[in-house]
Amino acid sequence: MIVMRLLSSLKHDESERGIFHLGRALIKNGHTSIIIASANEDDELVTRLKRDGTIYHQLNMPKKSWWALLQVVPLRRLIEKYNPDVIHVHSRTPAWVLHFALKGARVKAYPKIVSTMYGFYPINKYSRPLLKADTVITVSDSVRDYLITGIKHTGLQVKNVVRIYRGVDTRRYPYRHNPSVYWLRRTFAEFPELEHKKWLLFPTIVGSEYGQEWLIDILGNLQEQFPNIHVIIMDEDRDDGELLYQEFRQRVYTLGLEDRITYVGSKRNDNREWLSAANIVLALSNQPESIGINALQALHLGTPVIGWEKAAFAEILQPLYPLGLVKRHNALALCKAVRNQLESVTRPTMPDTFTMRQMVTETLAIYQQMYEERQAENAPVEEPKKKRLENQPRDKKRVEKPVASKTNIKKIALEQKAVEKQI
């Protein structure tokens, strides 16, 4: 089986897409793995892919840019060269490139198309090539329900929808992982205000949809009861940020909470250490979350997570850590959940779901199903065997026809004369 995967960016959301794990599993099972993305050939991620046995080709397909259509012909040539059984599209721009590339492709049989819907994409014309795939994978039940509702209103036809949750690499995020002493000393040297504090980790940037304003409610209501609580925001402390960022900073300074908030930056390679060292990880997105990968990673590390009961957070917390669900979307309910956790620490149990292995297994099953359907559709049709005539002899020996000879003719003539005399 030959599987080709198309991505706009190779670096983005590696943990959510399982690019390396899927490629490794395909190679291990004797299949061919091909990835087409925009990363340079000498990129570290590309080197890892090639080392695992994946074939890599660079085609620049930037997101939401019609310049990506310049790659239609190069992609068509690659499809003609490899004749893939399955093509997996990971975003909408490559889906458009593939749509036009397949129109003039000279292949014996068209490949089966699989696409993944990672978020609550608008159900419009731009998303149409992604939704016209033979199988559409959604990353959560909430995204699946959103898609099904959307296609009912728009009239679009989707052949097959399958939900496959994103998974966490349990080797990379082992249960009850503890940061090293070296990491803690280095962190306290860089951020001395964090020592001897209760860390409330906000594992995302400041933005309109991420819910950073709830941090002010938590600190304002709980700082007297818990004087050692400290909020850590994984974003840069920018002086020239957007208006929303400036408003948040102004509110923090007005309420005198600036000494209780630390910005540690967003471009870090030690997210695992921050998630495992935190006392609580906060999932406060105002908009419905489609994946919630940070919450998943924290739960696999054994760190308590508190978040709203909606979309992906509800799907994750309900089976893994129901104590962290905040059912009412208000400051009172949120502060109560944080208070209860700080007073009585209850860690989540070791999860056996939402794993990378489970995600890879389910995705490979989709590939195999598509491969078998393609093989069945393009199998040669056998001609139906002719039915045996009823009066045809059952034995297979050849039946000889009587031969007209002179001796036979004379015999027949004599028999005729004898009959005539009797008459």
Side-chain angles (χ1 to χ4, degrees), residues 118-120 138-147 163 165 209 283-293 295-296 299 305 307-320 324-327 329 354:
Y118 288 95
F120 299 94
T138 61
V139 294
S140 61
D141 285 335
S142 53
V143 175
R144 182 196 59 192
D145 296 342
Y146 166 82
L147 172 60
R163 186 265 296 144
Y165 283 120
E209 67 270 26
L284 306 177
S285 177
N286 292 320
Q287 300 297 324
E289 185 70 24
S290 59
I291 298 176
I293 193 67
L296 264 180
L299 291 169
V305 175
W308 306 118
E309 189 184 30
K310 63 179 180 181
F313 291 147
E315 296 178 49
I316 293 167
L317 289 171
Q318 189 62 52
L320 300 184
L325 281 173
V326 183
K327 297 184 178 181
H329 198 270
F354 297 96

Side-chain angles (χ1 to χ4, degrees), residues 386-403:
K386 294 181 180 180
K387 292 183 179 179
R388 182 175 56 83
L389 298 175
E390 292 181 1
N391 59 351
Q392 186 176 339
R394 292 181 179 275
D395 58 343
K396 296 182 180 178
K397 294 181 181 179
R398 184 178 176 184
V399 181
E400 296 183 359
K401 294 181 179 180
V403 181

Side-chain angles (χ1 to χ4, degrees), residues 403-423:
V403 181
S405 63
K406 289 182 179 180
T407 308
N408 291 337
I409 293 171
K410 285 180 180 180
K411 240 184 219 184
I412 294 168
L414 289 172
E415 289 176 358
Q416 265 185 342
K417 284 180 180 180
V419 171
E420 286 174 0
K421 284 180 180 180
Q422 289 177 3
I423 295 172

